[in-house]
Amino acid sequence: MSKSSTQSVTIHDVARLSGVSYQTVSRVINNQANVAAPTRLRVQQAVEALDYRPSILAKSLVTRRSQLIGVIAHGMNQYGPSQILQNVQESAHSFGYEIMLTTLQQVKLEEVSEQDVLTAALRLRQFGVDGLMLLTNYDAHDIVKGLGRSLPFVLIDAAADVEGPTVSIDQFEGAVMAARHLVSLGHRRILQITGPRGWSDAQLRREGFAHVIESEGLDTLPIYEGDWSAQSGYAVTRQALADGEVFTAIFAGNDQMALGVLAALAEAGLDVPQQVSVVGFDDTPESAYYAPPLTTVNQNFALLGRRSMEELKRLIEQLPGESAHHRAHHLIFQPQLVLRSTTAPAMTQAAEASSLSRVC
């Protein structure tokens, strides 16, 4: 049996061919369990024979769900946001959802305004999305107020004090792990190269590092700021050496900047890790193959994507009248320190000062 290419195959055609009700066909299509195996097979064969494709629009009219998730993102050229999006998309597909992505096009994160995000959210809502994911490497307090209860949403990587449902990896604690590792190796003068201002991840890593330096009573060195790129890590390391800064370790705000750090140190004739230890952040796939392989902080983006989608699905399906406290979950996951070959015990103070003064 077949239909003309000018005609649309319906669920009723499948029901007639397989000899069952259209309700049974619907249960098979939606993978419900209460269908006998021979009946399920007969329906599946009819679907294939007729080349039946269920209408998402028709289904949404019945279920009042579009099975679409809107995602608002910025910085997709960076490793972290791109990995988060990839894992959110994979998790959404596993739950039967598709993704509609809106990317905020501003060059600098500090140029992103509350109105930019709310406008993007309104545009996605007009497409009938069931919920929103916001990759929030910016101040989201006013965003949460603007969204209100108009649509279920989850903030990914938002600050812990935001009054909305959030799923995050603990950036502060990741920096604490990196700094404490260097301190445990005897390093007393540790240079920090941060990510750009305006990024909440960069700020939290800066604060975590500063917490360890202060609690250990170590010397506070000038902070050098990069833009997440290897070129910026290279440039600011050269600048620190030119400024005469004396240090035995560097904590770089991400692995790309750490790559630039390694290049600048090698160019200056400084051995890693014998003279200077280096720690990065993100555990990018390439970091294991740097020369030498990079000690870094791993973020479990697969877990972040899966739990973000689980939380949004919970909010979409929650019953009316559930408490605000129940709605606003805050899920925070811990990163892990990955030890490789760019960290080693510090040299003696006399030896390190002599070594670095020759370079400077």
Side-chain angles (χ1 to χ4, degrees), residues 9 23 50 53 56 63 81 97 171 230 245 289 291 293 299 318 324 330 334 360:
V9 177
Q23 293 95 334
L50 294 173
R53 297 291 181 266
I56 294 177
T63 64
Y97 286 88
Q171 306 296 314
E245 295 298 335
Y289 303 98
Q299 304 189 73
Q318 75 177 10
H330 293 266
Q334 295 303 305
C360 301

Side-chain angles (χ1 to χ4, degrees), residues 160-203:
D161 61 345
V162 171
E163 292 296 327
T166 64
V167 182
S168 305
I169 295 172
D170 195 334
Q171 306 296 314
F172 182 95
E173 184 59 29
V176 167
M177 290 176 180
R180 283 184 176 159
H181 170 60
L182 292 170
V183 171
S184 74
L185 293 173
H187 294 281
R188 308 290 296 175
R189 296 183 62 82
I190 307 171
L191 189 73
Q192 182 183 192
I193 299 176
T194 72
R197 296 180 187 276
W199 287 73
S200 61
D201 284 358
Q203 181 61 30

Side-chain angles (χ1 to χ4, degrees), residues 1-2 17 44-52:
M1 177 179 177
S2 64
L17 181 59
Q44 290 170 339
Q45 289 172 338
V47 166
E48 184 176 350
L50 294 173
D51 194 24
Y52 173 61

Side-chain angles (χ1 to χ4, degrees), residues 1 16 24 50 56 69 75 84 119 136 143 176 202 209 212 222 224 285 293 295 324 331 342 347:
M1 177 179 177
R16 280 192 292 272
T24 299
L50 294 173
I56 294 177
I69 297 299
I84 291 172
T119 298
T136 51
I143 305 299
V176 167
F209 176 85
V212 174
Y224 288 81
T295 294
L331 305 177
T342 55
M347 302 165 61

Side-chain angles (χ1 to χ4, degrees), residues 31-74:
N31 290 319
Q32 296 180 12
N34 55 340
V35 180
T39 302
R40 183 180 300 276
L41 178 60
R42 196 160 69 248
V43 171
Q44 290 170 339
Q45 289 172 338
V47 166
E48 184 176 350
L50 294 173
D51 194 24
Y52 173 61
R53 297 291 181 266
S55 167
I56 294 177
L57 178 59
K59 183 178 178 181
S60 68
L61 291 174
V62 175
T63 64
R64 298 191 177 182
R65 300 266 173 80
S66 65
Q67 297 303 114
L68 294 173
I69 297 299
V71 177
I72 302 173
H74 181 276

Side-chain angles (χ1 to χ4, degrees), residues 264-271 275 359:
L265 293 175
E267 186 179 272
L270 292 170
D271 182 85
Q275 291 174 282
V359 174

Side-chain angles (χ1 to χ4, degrees), residues 27-341:
R27 286 195 291 271
V28 172
I29 291 170
N30 289 290
N31 290 319
Q32 296 180 12
N34 55 340
V35 180
T39 302
R40 183 180 300 276
L41 178 60
R42 196 160 69 248
V43 171
Q44 290 170 339
Q45 289 172 338
V47 166
E48 184 176 350
L50 294 173
D51 194 24
Y52 173 61
R53 297 291 181 266
S55 167
I56 294 177
L57 178 59
K59 183 178 178 181
S60 68
L61 291 174
V62 175
T63 64
R64 298 191 177 182
R65 300 266 173 80
S66 65
Q67 297 303 114
L68 294 173
I69 297 299
V71 177
I72 302 173
H74 181 276
M76 298 311 298
N77 59 328
Q78 301 297 330
Y79 177 75
S82 66
Q83 287 299 300
I84 291 172
L85 176 61
Q86 177 181 323
N87 284 282
V88 164
Q89 188 167 31
E90 290 175 0
S91 298
H93 287 168
S94 72
F95 285 116
Y97 286 88
E98 294 294 334
I99 292 294
M100 292 190 71
L101 173 65
T102 293
T103 302
L104 301 176
Q105 298 296 334
Q106 288 82 353
V107 176
K108 296 181 179 179
L109 189 63
E110 55 265 30
E111 296 174 2
V112 174
S113 71
E114 171 193 354
Q115 192 55 50
D116 293 325
V117 180
L118 293 178
T119 298
L122 177 61
R123 187 162 57 248
L124 288 168
R125 186 181 181 185
Q126 290 172 336
F127 281 98
V129 297
D130 294 332
L132 291 173
M133 292 273 197
L134 293 91
L135 277 61
T136 51
N137 242 307
Y138 41 78
D139 188 343
H141 290 78
D142 290 337
I143 305 299
V144 171
K145 293 177 184 177
L147 288 172
R149 300 182 182 180
S150 61
L151 196 64
F153 66 91
V154 168
L155 307 172
I156 300 178
D157 258 0
D161 61 345
V162 171
E163 292 296 327
T166 64
V167 182
S168 305
I169 295 172
D170 195 334
Q171 306 296 314
F172 182 95
E173 184 59 29
V176 167
M177 290 176 180
R180 283 184 176 159
H181 170 60
L182 292 170
V183 171
S184 74
L185 293 173
H187 294 281
R188 308 290 296 175
R189 296 183 62 82
I190 307 171
L191 189 73
Q192 182 183 192
I193 299 176
T194 72
R197 296 180 187 276
W199 287 73
S200 61
D201 284 358
Q203 181 61 30
L204 289 168
R205 294 171 198 176
R206 182 193 300 241
E207 292 171 0
F209 176 85
H211 170 76
V212 174
I213 296 301
E214 181 179 352
S215 63
E216 295 290 337
L218 303 184
D219 294 337
T220 301
L221 303 185
I223 295 175
Y224 288 81
E225 182 179 316
D227 63 8
W228 298 130
S229 70
Q231 190 279 331
S232 71
Y234 171 82
V236 297
T237 303
R238 282 176 52 90
Q239 185 61 55
L241 292 170
D243 291 343
E245 295 298 335
V246 176
F247 51 86
T248 62
I250 296 178
F251 170 47
N254 75 340
D255 289 353
Q256 282 296 302
M257 291 194 298
L259 177 60
V261 169
L262 294 176
L265 293 175
E267 186 179 272
L270 292 170
D271 182 85
V272 176
Q274 295 306 314
Q275 291 174 282
V276 182
S277 289
V278 178
V279 178
F281 206 108
D282 280 341
D283 192 23
T284 60
E286 299 83 6
S287 65
Y289 303 98
Y290 288 0
L294 181 68
T295 294
T296 185
V297 177
N298 174 271
Q299 304 189 73
N300 191 336
F301 291 119
L303 176 64
L304 185 68
R306 183 174 71 253
R307 294 303 301 274
S308 297
M309 189 60 220
E310 288 174 354
E311 179 66 3
L312 183 58
K313 185 172 182 289
R314 181 186 71 81
L315 293 170
I316 291 170
E317 296 175 352
Q318 75 177 10
L319 297 175
E322 291 192 49
S323 69
H325 175 74
H326 183 62
R327 287 196 299 272
H329 280 184
H330 293 266
L331 305 177
I332 303 177
F333 307 112
Q334 295 303 305
Q336 291 184 316
L337 184 66
V338 179
L339 299 178
R340 296 197 181 106
S341 305

